[in-house]
Amino acid sequence: MSAHHDHGAHDHHDHHGHDHADHGSLKSYATGFILAVILTVIPFWLVMGNVFDKSSTTGFVLLGLAAVQIVVHMVYFLHMNSKSEGGWTMLALLFTTMVVVIMMSGSLWVMYHLNHNMMPGMDHETVPESIKMAPVEKEMKKMPGMS
């Protein structure tokens, strides 16, 4: 007797036992597209409308919205979830996120400390007038009869 495998219309397994994720519908793609457009328009409005007084606040809000948009793209367009490929996709995503956060925060930390330690006293009040002056103005002062 030979074994016969019945593959129903709703079976998402191939003959090797691999699980195939659902590739979405028009409704899910439309939802993802609308969310992506909204998450693009809001940051544009925040920057062009100068909504926040401090630019650092605007930057942090933009980073948050960018992170949300990354999740929207991964869920609605890349179809990543905890069920695809037995959870390995989500584990790889978490590892990648951790590495990116460590690299970005480390880079910002190094740049801040380089700026702070290499440029002490670079306040506008303590900078000599000769440094504040534009190069063209310096050259014009050197020339006789041009000042």
Side-chain angles (χ1 to χ4, degrees), residues 46-47 51-65:
L46 289 174
V47 171
V51 175
F52 297 110
D53 292 334
K54 294 174 66 175
S55 61
S56 60
T57 304
T58 304
F60 284 121
V61 171
L62 293 180
L63 285 174
L65 290 169

Side-chain angles (χ1 to χ4, degrees), residues 1-140:
M1 285 191 165
S2 65
H4 178 67
H5 296 288
D6 185 23
H7 295 288
H10 300 292
D11 192 11
H12 294 289
H13 296 282
D14 66 7
H15 64 284
H16 295 292
H18 294 120
D19 187 26
H20 293 287
D22 187 24
H23 289 290
S25 63
L26 181 61
K27 181 181 176 184
S28 70
Y29 282 122
T31 303
F33 177 74
I34 290 169
L35 287 172
V37 168
I38 290 170
L39 289 168
T40 301
V41 170
I42 290 173
F44 184 79
W45 169 72
L46 289 174
V47 171
M48 295 306 290
N50 203 13
V51 175
F52 297 110
D53 292 334
K54 294 174 66 175
S55 61
S56 60
T57 304
T58 304
F60 284 121
V61 171
L62 293 180
L63 285 174
L65 290 169
V68 171
Q69 190 165 57
I70 289 170
V71 171
V72 166
H73 282 265
M74 288 189 321
V75 170
Y76 288 99
F77 301 120
L78 299 177
H79 311 293
M80 291 178 68
N81 57 31
S82 60
K83 295 176 185 165
S84 60
E85 295 184 24
W88 284 106
T89 305
M90 191 59 66
L91 188 63
L93 172 68
L94 290 174
F95 178 74
T96 304
T97 303
M98 183 180 69
V99 169
V100 167
V101 166
I102 290 171
M103 288 177 56
M104 293 298 292
S105 59
S107 297
L108 291 173
W109 181 68
V110 166
M111 287 188 288
Y112 170 78
H113 284 285
L114 277 175
N115 187 40
H116 182 17
N117 293 330
M118 299 297 285
M119 303 295 235
M122 286 299 286
D123 297 329
H124 294 292
E125 295 89 34
T126 61
V127 175
E129 195 64 34
S130 61
I131 295 175
K132 286 183 184 178
M133 202 180 315
V136 174
E137 292 174 3
K138 286 182 190 177
E139 291 301 317
M140 288 182 69

